[in-house]
Amino acid sequence: MRIYLSVTGVIVFIFLLAAFPLALDIASGNLSFHFDTAWKLVKDYFGGIISGDSFYYLEGKDRNQSFLKDVPGFFLTSFLYLITAAIISVCIGVLIAVWHSKSKQEWIKDIIGFLGMIPDFILVLILQLGVVFIYEATGERIARIATRGVGEHAILLPLITLSIVPAIYLIRTLGERTYDVLSEDYILTAKAKGLQKLYIFIQHVIRNVLPYLKADLHKVIAIMMSNIFIVEYLFNINGLSAFLFNVSYQFDLTVNILISLIVLYLLLYWGVRLFIACLERIFSHD
């Protein structure tokens, strides 16, 4: 029952959010929301599902494009960037959190805290300017600063931008959880038996930190989903957000994009859950 209520709530929210800019009106200094306009937009959308009109959008002034035909390529692009960055973030977050828990060097915390304060668009500009500076100084192009068409995709810098914020979040949260795990009796017993620290961390600490990672996974995915719009725009990546940036506002198109983003979120979440399950199998040796 809760699942049906959640799905219904998400669908209602999607339609309200898509209709909001068109149903909102400012007249004589008063702000009003026209529910009749929103209802008409929703009714026309469901009516257009049968005829297929709801799955077409206007590009330019008079060019109708099929959303169902165009979206797979854009969807796949966004998914590949996100799932790759998510796996990188999980690996970095877990390894550094576990390693940092036994390190007493405070400068590491300062670096992590500083990186966590840098806004995404500032980080993108820093990375792009850094690549340009290295190219001018050495003549070596270490990465593309933007996508320039087929075969010239920006890969390294977008992945760094998408990975660094969730990785820092995981380092902070999992670092605290690692401290808690290290104080457990079975860890103290393992130390008392003279087991090597590396063995203890691999066989006992990491496997007991992974459940906390699964608990925070929704937050990690939410961070990445919010960052993908900035990354795709600044790196000129043709992902799902390209529909929003490159065409005029259209109700049907906005609804279709929001639904696609929900599907993307679910696929990304379960994809990372599958990766974490593989890690649990690797580190779960009794």
Short mmCIF file of all heavy atoms in Angstrom, two decimals, residues 71-109:
data_model
loop_
_atom_site.label_atom_id
_atom_site.label_comp_id
_atom_site.label_asym_id
_atom_site.label_seq_id
_atom_site.Cartn_x
_atom_site.Cartn_y
_atom_site.Cartn_z
N VAL A 71 15.20 10.14 -26.87
CA VAL A 71 15.60 10.04 -25.47
C VAL A 71 16.58 8.90 -25.16
O VAL A 71 17.41 9.06 -24.26
CB VAL A 71 14.35 9.93 -24.56
CG1 VAL A 71 13.69 8.57 -24.69
CG2 VAL A 71 14.70 10.21 -23.11
N PRO A 72 16.54 7.73 -25.84
CA PRO A 72 17.47 6.65 -25.44
C PRO A 72 18.94 7.05 -25.44
O PRO A 72 19.68 6.72 -24.50
CB PRO A 72 17.19 5.54 -26.47
CG PRO A 72 15.78 5.77 -26.89
CD PRO A 72 15.63 7.27 -26.90
N GLY A 73 19.39 7.77 -26.47
CA GLY A 73 20.79 8.18 -26.53
C GLY A 73 21.15 9.14 -25.42
O GLY A 73 22.21 9.01 -24.78
N PHE A 74 20.28 10.13 -25.17
CA PHE A 74 20.53 11.10 -24.10
C PHE A 74 20.49 10.41 -22.73
O PHE A 74 21.30 10.71 -21.85
CB PHE A 74 19.49 12.22 -24.16
CG PHE A 74 19.59 13.09 -25.38
CD1 PHE A 74 18.89 12.79 -26.53
CD2 PHE A 74 20.40 14.21 -25.37
CE1 PHE A 74 18.98 13.60 -27.65
CE2 PHE A 74 20.50 15.03 -26.48
CZ PHE A 74 19.79 14.72 -27.62
N PHE A 75 19.52 9.51 -22.56
CA PHE A 75 19.38 8.78 -21.30
C PHE A 75 20.61 7.94 -21.02
O PHE A 75 21.15 7.93 -19.90
CB PHE A 75 18.13 7.90 -21.37
CG PHE A 75 17.81 7.19 -20.09
CD1 PHE A 75 16.93 7.74 -19.19
CD2 PHE A 75 18.40 5.96 -19.78
CE1 PHE A 75 16.62 7.08 -18.00
CE2 PHE A 75 18.11 5.31 -18.61
CZ PHE A 75 17.22 5.86 -17.71
N LEU A 76 21.08 7.21 -22.04
CA LEU A 76 22.25 6.35 -21.87
C LEU A 76 23.49 7.16 -21.53
O LEU A 76 24.31 6.74 -20.69
CB LEU A 76 22.48 5.53 -23.14
CG LEU A 76 23.64 4.54 -23.11
CD1 LEU A 76 23.41 3.49 -22.02
CD2 LEU A 76 23.81 3.87 -24.47
N THR A 77 23.64 8.33 -22.15
CA THR A 77 24.79 9.18 -21.86
C THR A 77 24.80 9.60 -20.39
O THR A 77 25.82 9.48 -19.70
CB THR A 77 24.76 10.44 -22.75
OG1 THR A 77 24.86 10.04 -24.12
CG2 THR A 77 25.93 11.36 -22.41
N SER A 78 23.66 10.08 -19.89
CA SER A 78 23.58 10.49 -18.49
C SER A 78 23.82 9.32 -17.56
O SER A 78 24.53 9.44 -16.55
CB SER A 78 22.21 11.11 -18.20
OG SER A 78 22.02 12.31 -18.91
N PHE A 79 23.25 8.16 -17.90
CA PHE A 79 23.40 6.99 -17.04
C PHE A 79 24.85 6.53 -16.95
O PHE A 79 25.34 6.19 -15.86
CB PHE A 79 22.51 5.85 -17.55
CG PHE A 79 22.65 4.58 -16.75
CD1 PHE A 79 22.08 4.46 -15.50
CD2 PHE A 79 23.38 3.51 -17.26
CE1 PHE A 79 22.21 3.29 -14.78
CE2 PHE A 79 23.53 2.35 -16.54
CZ PHE A 79 22.94 2.23 -15.29
N LEU A 80 25.54 6.49 -18.08
CA LEU A 80 26.93 6.02 -18.09
C LEU A 80 27.83 6.94 -17.27
O LEU A 80 28.70 6.47 -16.52
CB LEU A 80 27.44 5.91 -19.52
CG LEU A 80 26.84 4.78 -20.37
CD1 LEU A 80 27.38 4.83 -21.79
CD2 LEU A 80 27.13 3.42 -19.74
N TYR A 81 27.63 8.25 -17.40
CA TYR A 81 28.42 9.19 -16.59
C TYR A 81 28.12 8.99 -15.10
O TYR A 81 29.03 8.94 -14.27
CB TYR A 81 28.12 10.63 -16.99
CG TYR A 81 28.94 11.14 -18.15
CD1 TYR A 81 28.40 11.19 -19.43
CD2 TYR A 81 30.25 11.57 -17.97
CE1 TYR A 81 29.16 11.66 -20.50
CE2 TYR A 81 31.00 12.04 -19.03
CZ TYR A 81 30.45 12.08 -20.29
OH TYR A 81 31.20 12.54 -21.36
N LEU A 82 26.84 8.85 -14.77
CA LEU A 82 26.45 8.76 -13.37
C LEU A 82 26.88 7.45 -12.73
O LEU A 82 27.40 7.44 -11.61
CB LEU A 82 24.93 8.94 -13.24
CG LEU A 82 24.42 10.37 -13.41
CD1 LEU A 82 22.90 10.38 -13.52
CD2 LEU A 82 24.86 11.24 -12.24
N ILE A 83 26.67 6.33 -13.42
CA ILE A 83 27.02 5.05 -12.81
C ILE A 83 28.53 4.90 -12.66
O ILE A 83 29.02 4.35 -11.66
CB ILE A 83 26.44 3.87 -13.65
CG1 ILE A 83 26.55 2.56 -12.88
CG2 ILE A 83 27.13 3.76 -15.00
CD1 ILE A 83 25.71 2.49 -11.64
N THR A 84 29.29 5.43 -13.63
CA THR A 84 30.75 5.38 -13.51
C THR A 84 31.23 6.24 -12.34
O THR A 84 32.06 5.82 -11.53
CB THR A 84 31.41 5.86 -14.81
OG1 THR A 84 30.94 5.08 -15.91
CG2 THR A 84 32.93 5.73 -14.73
N ALA A 85 30.69 7.46 -12.25
CA ALA A 85 31.06 8.36 -11.17
C ALA A 85 30.63 7.80 -9.82
O ALA A 85 31.34 7.96 -8.81
CB ALA A 85 30.44 9.75 -11.39
N ALA A 86 29.48 7.13 -9.77
CA ALA A 86 29.00 6.56 -8.51
C ALA A 86 29.92 5.45 -8.03
O ALA A 86 30.25 5.37 -6.83
CB ALA A 86 27.58 6.02 -8.70
N ILE A 87 30.36 4.59 -8.93
CA ILE A 87 31.27 3.50 -8.55
C ILE A 87 32.60 4.08 -8.08
O ILE A 87 33.18 3.61 -7.09
CB ILE A 87 31.47 2.54 -9.74
CG1 ILE A 87 30.16 1.79 -10.03
CG2 ILE A 87 32.60 1.56 -9.47
CD1 ILE A 87 30.20 0.92 -11.27
N ILE A 88 33.09 5.09 -8.78
CA ILE A 88 34.34 5.75 -8.36
C ILE A 88 34.18 6.36 -6.97
O ILE A 88 35.05 6.23 -6.11
CB ILE A 88 34.75 6.82 -9.38
CG1 ILE A 88 35.13 6.17 -10.72
CG2 ILE A 88 35.92 7.66 -8.85
CD1 ILE A 88 35.38 7.17 -11.83
N SER A 89 33.05 7.03 -6.74
CA SER A 89 32.80 7.67 -5.44
C SER A 89 32.75 6.65 -4.32
O SER A 89 33.30 6.88 -3.23
CB SER A 89 31.48 8.46 -5.49
OG SER A 89 31.52 9.47 -6.46
N VAL A 90 32.07 5.52 -4.56
CA VAL A 90 31.97 4.48 -3.54
C VAL A 90 33.35 3.92 -3.21
O VAL A 90 33.70 3.77 -2.02
CB VAL A 90 31.02 3.37 -4.02
CG1 VAL A 90 31.12 2.15 -3.11
CG2 VAL A 90 29.58 3.87 -4.05
N CYS A 91 34.12 3.61 -4.23
CA CYS A 91 35.46 3.06 -3.99
C CYS A 91 36.35 4.04 -3.24
O CYS A 91 36.99 3.68 -2.24
CB CYS A 91 36.11 2.67 -5.33
SG CYS A 91 35.29 1.31 -6.19
N ILE A 92 36.38 5.28 -3.70
CA ILE A 92 37.21 6.29 -3.04
C ILE A 92 36.71 6.55 -1.63
O ILE A 92 37.49 6.65 -0.67
CB ILE A 92 37.22 7.59 -3.86
CG1 ILE A 92 37.94 7.37 -5.19
CG2 ILE A 92 37.88 8.72 -3.08
CD1 ILE A 92 37.92 8.58 -6.09
N GLY A 93 35.38 6.69 -1.49
CA GLY A 93 34.81 6.99 -0.18
C GLY A 93 35.12 5.93 0.85
O GLY A 93 35.53 6.23 1.98
N VAL A 94 34.94 4.66 0.48
CA VAL A 94 35.18 3.56 1.42
C VAL A 94 36.67 3.45 1.76
O VAL A 94 37.05 3.37 2.94
CB VAL A 94 34.67 2.23 0.84
CG1 VAL A 94 35.11 1.06 1.72
CG2 VAL A 94 33.15 2.27 0.73
N LEU A 95 37.52 3.46 0.75
CA LEU A 95 38.96 3.26 0.98
C LEU A 95 39.56 4.39 1.81
O LEU A 95 40.29 4.14 2.77
CB LEU A 95 39.69 3.12 -0.36
CG LEU A 95 39.37 1.87 -1.17
CD1 LEU A 95 40.09 1.90 -2.51
CD2 LEU A 95 39.76 0.61 -0.39
N ILE A 96 39.25 5.64 1.44
CA ILE A 96 39.83 6.77 2.18
C ILE A 96 39.23 6.87 3.57
O ILE A 96 39.94 7.20 4.54
CB ILE A 96 39.62 8.09 1.39
CG1 ILE A 96 40.41 8.03 0.09
CG2 ILE A 96 40.06 9.28 2.24
CD1 ILE A 96 40.35 9.31 -0.72
N ALA A 97 37.94 6.58 3.73
CA ALA A 97 37.32 6.63 5.05
C ALA A 97 37.96 5.62 5.98
O ALA A 97 38.26 5.93 7.15
CB ALA A 97 35.82 6.38 4.93
N VAL A 98 38.18 4.40 5.48
CA VAL A 98 38.80 3.37 6.31
C VAL A 98 40.26 3.71 6.61
O VAL A 98 40.73 3.57 7.74
CB VAL A 98 38.71 2.00 5.60
CG1 VAL A 98 39.52 0.95 6.34
CG2 VAL A 98 37.26 1.56 5.50
N TRP A 99 40.98 4.18 5.59
CA TRP A 99 42.38 4.55 5.80
C TRP A 99 42.50 5.76 6.72
O TRP A 99 43.36 5.80 7.60
CB TRP A 99 43.04 4.87 4.46
CG TRP A 99 44.43 5.42 4.61
CD1 TRP A 99 45.57 4.74 4.87
CD2 TRP A 99 44.81 6.80 4.52
NE1 TRP A 99 46.64 5.60 4.95
CE2 TRP A 99 46.20 6.87 4.74
CE3 TRP A 99 44.10 7.97 4.27
CZ2 TRP A 99 46.89 8.08 4.72
CZ3 TRP A 99 44.78 9.18 4.25
CH2 TRP A 99 46.17 9.21 4.47
N HIS A 100 41.60 6.74 6.53
CA HIS A 100 41.69 7.96 7.31
C HIS A 100 41.35 7.72 8.78
O HIS A 100 41.79 8.47 9.66
CB HIS A 100 40.74 9.02 6.73
CG HIS A 100 40.80 10.33 7.43
ND1 HIS A 100 39.79 10.80 8.22
CD2 HIS A 100 41.77 11.28 7.46
CE1 HIS A 100 40.13 11.98 8.72
NE2 HIS A 100 41.31 12.29 8.26
N SER A 101 40.59 6.67 9.07
CA SER A 101 40.20 6.40 10.45
C SER A 101 41.39 6.03 11.33
O SER A 101 41.35 6.20 12.54
CB SER A 101 39.17 5.26 10.49
OG SER A 101 39.76 4.06 10.02
N LYS A 102 42.46 5.52 10.71
CA LYS A 102 43.65 5.16 11.49
C LYS A 102 44.78 6.18 11.32
O LYS A 102 45.87 5.97 11.82
CB LYS A 102 44.14 3.77 11.09
CG LYS A 102 44.56 3.66 9.62
CD LYS A 102 45.06 2.27 9.30
CE LYS A 102 45.52 2.17 7.85
NZ LYS A 102 46.04 0.83 7.52
N SER A 103 44.48 7.27 10.60
CA SER A 103 45.48 8.31 10.41
C SER A 103 45.22 9.47 11.35
O SER A 103 44.08 9.87 11.56
CB SER A 103 45.45 8.81 8.95
OG SER A 103 46.35 9.89 8.79
N LYS A 104 46.25 10.02 11.91
CA LYS A 104 46.12 11.14 12.84
C LYS A 104 46.57 12.45 12.22
O LYS A 104 46.78 13.43 12.92
CB LYS A 104 46.95 10.85 14.10
CG LYS A 104 46.50 9.63 14.88
CD LYS A 104 47.32 9.41 16.13
CE LYS A 104 46.83 8.19 16.90
NZ LYS A 104 47.63 7.96 18.14
N GLN A 105 46.72 12.48 10.92
CA GLN A 105 47.17 13.69 10.23
C GLN A 105 45.97 14.61 9.97
O GLN A 105 45.10 14.31 9.15
CB GLN A 105 47.86 13.31 8.92
CG GLN A 105 49.10 12.45 9.12
CD GLN A 105 49.74 12.03 7.81
OE1 GLN A 105 49.16 12.22 6.75
NE2 GLN A 105 50.93 11.48 7.89
N GLU A 106 45.94 15.72 10.68
CA GLU A 106 44.79 16.63 10.60
C GLU A 106 44.71 17.37 9.28
O GLU A 106 43.64 17.84 8.90
CB GLU A 106 44.87 17.65 11.76
CG GLU A 106 44.70 17.03 13.14
CD GLU A 106 43.33 16.42 13.32
OE1 GLU A 106 42.37 16.96 12.74
OE2 GLU A 106 43.23 15.42 14.04
N TRP A 107 45.82 17.49 8.56
CA TRP A 107 45.78 18.24 7.31
C TRP A 107 44.90 17.55 6.27
O TRP A 107 44.37 18.21 5.37
CB TRP A 107 47.19 18.43 6.76
CG TRP A 107 47.93 17.16 6.44
CD1 TRP A 107 48.72 16.44 7.28
CD2 TRP A 107 47.91 16.46 5.19
NE1 TRP A 107 49.22 15.33 6.63
CE2 TRP A 107 48.76 15.32 5.35
CE3 TRP A 107 47.31 16.68 3.95
CZ2 TRP A 107 48.97 14.41 4.32
CZ3 TRP A 107 47.53 15.78 2.92
CH2 TRP A 107 48.34 14.66 3.11
N ILE A 108 44.73 16.25 6.42
CA ILE A 108 43.85 15.54 5.50
C ILE A 108 42.41 16.00 5.68
O ILE A 108 41.68 16.23 4.72
CB ILE A 108 43.96 14.02 5.71
CG1 ILE A 108 45.40 13.56 5.45
CG2 ILE A 108 42.98 13.28 4.82
CD1 ILE A 108 45.62 12.10 5.70
N LYS A 109 41.99 16.16 6.94
CA LYS A 109 40.65 16.68 7.21
C LYS A 109 40.46 18.08 6.63
O LYS A 109 39.39 18.41 6.13
CB LYS A 109 40.39 16.70 8.71
CG LYS A 109 40.30 15.33 9.36
CD LYS A 109 39.97 15.47 10.83
CE LYS A 109 39.86 14.11 11.49
NZ LYS A 109 39.55 14.22 12.94
#
